Amino acid sequence: MSHPLWQKSGVQIDTRIMHFLAANDVVLDRAFFLHDIVASKAHVEGLFRIGIITTKEATALKNELDKLAEDFKTGAFVLDERYEDGHSAIEARLSERLGETGRRVHTGRSRNDQVLVAIRLWLKEKMTVLRTHCHTIATVCLRRAAEEALPLPGYTHLQRAVVSSTSMWFAGFAEAFIDNSFRTRSSTELMDANPLGTAAGYGVNLPLERAYTTSALGFARMQISPVYAQLSRGKYEMMALETLGAAMLDLRRLAWDLSLFTTGEFNFVKLPARYTTGSSIMPNKRNPDVVELLRASYATVASARNEIEQLLSLPSGYQRDVQLTKSALLRGIAQGLKALELLPDLLATLEWNEAAMRAAIEPAMYATDIAVEQAKEGLPFRDAYRAAAQSTSCTDQKRTPEESLAARTSPGAGNALQLDELAARLAISQGC
């Protein structure tokens, strides 16, 4: 490892302690490195605008930062254990290439606001990916809801309850992911604040061009208080994981449905072969492993959020503890987005077994329809409820699932799905 930026003369470095302090931080910083470089360019321009560096120095620094970004992308520069972290690597590279000019880059900033702005830019990028996934999932669900309305048993308490349909099933998850899209949008708006220029959490004695860097980096506003900039470390990471977690909760419930529906006992759904695996010992088995791991992925996101929350039992101001939030953040976001990315194709290509679903709709499932019909004729509903429960008429009458669904005209029900309204909400959630 190169000499730490903070090393003082006469202080001996203990290798074991340095490895404990740095841990795998430099490896984790690879995820944020290009964002760190982008923010460094904005900082350099800001220093030029207030006369701290010359035009020549600013140009040289920005050109060298561009070269570093390109070298990182191609693999010519590797962010590894030679450096304490990504921030130190940037300064080391600039100092190596530009000498005294390179050593001027850290004027007016701290690694504290450097990591804050790099992670904030990364979070905005990942929230955009999340919103895209939510939009795609909802779009697929709306399309399939419009294309086919096959009878499907509706369950409460995992017991057959009333007649439902594949359209209602898809519409339900469409609206869930529309909400998730809205939530992602609102969370991103809260995170969209620039911490660059807050330094170590108390500002600096320079008239930094924070309004300029806010605009240059594409932030909606400036995070004004340096103290709050430090307080938000971890808080915004938790917000991102909570937002992702909301979508993962819906994914978990959807995956649970598919886990049940693909069993021999239900036999409602057939998955594409690529979403299943075989048994190592039982030749007859095809296992829905992908669906099961989709269901399990929520745990990774939730545990990452909880890990960060436990780390934030801290006073105000920067504490080194928050370094450990990076690993949890990267792990949780990566697993959640990877899972959601698989869902649209799975939903688009799963096949319903209409015969099995029809066979599972038993006459007793029309009892609620009968009770409501009698109430509509003037019988108090509780009396109609008891009559339907005690009478055998609900099993004697010849009804079809299609008739039951056609009579269900309450908004959102089988004959009033309002898919156009859901599609309009989805467009709004995307800012259209």
Side-chain angles (χ1 to χ4, degrees):
M1 182 185 294
S2 59
H3 293 301
L5 298 175
W6 44 264
Q7 185 176 357
K8 307 296 192 299
S9 60
V11 178
Q12 185 175 358
I13 297 295
D14 186 309
T15 303
R16 296 171 305 163
I17 293 175
M18 279 304 302
H19 283 161
F20 177 75
L21 287 170
N24 62 340
D25 206 38
V26 71
V27 176
L28 298 174
D29 278 355
R30 292 171 184 169
F32 315 116
F33 195 59
L34 292 175
H35 302 87
D36 203 347
I37 292 172
V38 168
S40 294
K41 286 183 65 178
H43 178 67
V44 165
E45 179 64 21
L47 292 178
F48 163 71
R49 292 165 71 96
I50 61 172
I52 298 298
I53 58 177
T54 65
T55 301
K56 182 179 178 180
E57 289 172 327
T59 300
L61 285 166
K62 287 188 287 186
N63 287 342
E64 199 57 52
L65 285 166
D66 286 337
K67 291 177 185 176
L68 176 57
E70 186 59 31
D71 286 348
F72 179 72
K73 292 175 185 176
T74 62
F77 176 86
V78 179
L79 187 59
D80 57 24
E81 289 74 11
R82 291 173 295 167
Y83 307 100
E84 186 178 6
D85 52 35
H87 323 304
S88 303
I90 290 174
E91 186 168 345
R93 165 79 171 229
L94 293 176
S95 299
E96 173 191 328
R97 296 291 182 90
L98 300 176
E100 182 178 336
T101 297
R103 293 191 291 274
R104 295 171 71 84
V105 72
H106 208 60
T107 305
R109 75 174 179 181
S110 166
R111 287 189 297 179
N112 294 349
D113 64 338
Q114 209 172 339
V115 67
L116 275 169
V117 71
I119 291 177
R120 196 70 52 81
L121 290 169
W122 182 87
L123 282 174
K124 286 179 58 181
E125 179 183 282
K126 297 307 176 184
M127 289 297 98
T128 298
V129 174
L130 173 57
R131 191 144 61 108
T132 299
H133 287 336
C134 290
H135 178 270
T136 305
I137 293 165
T139 299
V140 171
C141 287
L142 288 173
R143 177 175 58 77
R144 292 213 62 175
E147 286 176 350
E148 54 195 348
L150 303 176
L152 173 70
Y155 293 86
T156 66
H157 307 275
L158 285 179
Q159 306 299 311
R160 294 174 183 174
V162 296
V163 177
S164 183
S165 70
T166 57
S167 287
M168 291 187 68
W169 189 85
F170 275 119
F173 284 106
E175 188 164 7
F177 280 95
I178 291 168
D179 272 2
N180 293 329
S181 180
F182 273 110
R183 182 167 181 175
T184 305
R185 181 179 175 182
S186 62
S187 295
T188 303
E189 288 173 356
L190 286 173
M191 294 178 209
D192 200 5
N194 176 29
L196 184 61
T198 58
Y202 301 98
V204 293
N205 50 331
L206 290 171
L208 295 175
E209 287 274 3
R210 296 200 62 209
Y212 164 76
T213 59
T214 297
S215 174
L217 293 173
F219 285 106
R221 68 185 187 283
M222 182 193 308
Q223 194 166 23
I224 296 173
S225 169
V227 173
Y228 180 56
Q230 293 303 318
L231 289 172
S232 68
R233 176 85 184 270
K235 176 181 176 180
Y236 283 11
E237 288 87 329
M238 284 174 58
M239 187 187 303
L241 288 164
E242 288 167 358
T243 302
L244 175 58
M248 295 304 292
L249 278 171
D250 291 318
L251 171 56
R252 182 165 70 173
R253 299 189 76 172
L254 188 154
W256 247 121
D257 279 1
L258 295 182
S259 295
L260 292 172
F261 291 170
T262 54
T263 62
E265 286 71 20
F266 282 78
N267 196 28
F268 293 168
V269 167
K270 180 181 178 182
L271 299 176
R274 63 184 176 276
Y275 286 97
T276 65
T277 65
S279 167
S280 64
I281 188 173
M282 295 172 284
N284 58 306
K285 292 294 297 299
R286 293 300 298 178
N287 301 318
D289 286 3
V290 174
V291 169
E292 291 168 351
L293 289 175
L294 291 177
R295 187 175 64 197
S297 293
Y298 172 77
T300 302
V301 177
S303 63
R305 184 216 170 274
N306 183 63
E307 185 176 336
I308 293 174
E309 182 179 32
Q310 299 310 309
L311 286 166
L312 294 185
S313 179
L314 298 168
S316 64
Y318 175 77
Q319 322 292 331
R320 190 65 177 266
D321 309 51
V322 295
Q323 174 180 309
L324 299 184
T325 62
K326 289 181 185 177
S327 178
L329 176 67
L330 289 169
R331 182 175 66 252
I333 296 291
Q335 183 65 25
L337 293 181
K338 184 167 57 175
L340 290 169
E341 185 179 13
L342 293 177
L343 190 54
D345 179 65
L346 174 61
L347 291 172
T349 54
L350 66 83
E351 298 177 14
W352 298 103
N353 183 346
E354 182 177 357
M357 294 188 298
R358 283 186 181 277
I361 297 175
E362 56 195 13
M365 296 172 70
Y366 299 113
T368 302
D369 291 345
I370 293 170
V372 172
E373 288 167 3
Q374 292 177 348
K376 190 164 58 174
E377 295 299 320
L379 189 66
F381 179 76
R382 195 50 57 200
D383 294 338
Y385 172 95
R386 293 190 184 95
Q390 296 170 2
S391 172
T392 59
S393 62
C394 63
T395 61
D396 294 340
Q397 292 192 30
K398 301 299 182 183
R399 294 176 181 245
T400 67
E402 285 78 9
E403 290 170 341
S404 178
L405 291 166
R408 215 86 56 75
T409 54
S410 59
N415 198 25
L417 292 172
Q418 297 188 324
L419 299 182
D420 290 344
E421 173 64 22
L422 291 176
R425 290 184 191 175
L426 178 60
I428 293 171
S429 78
Q430 295 292 303
C432 301

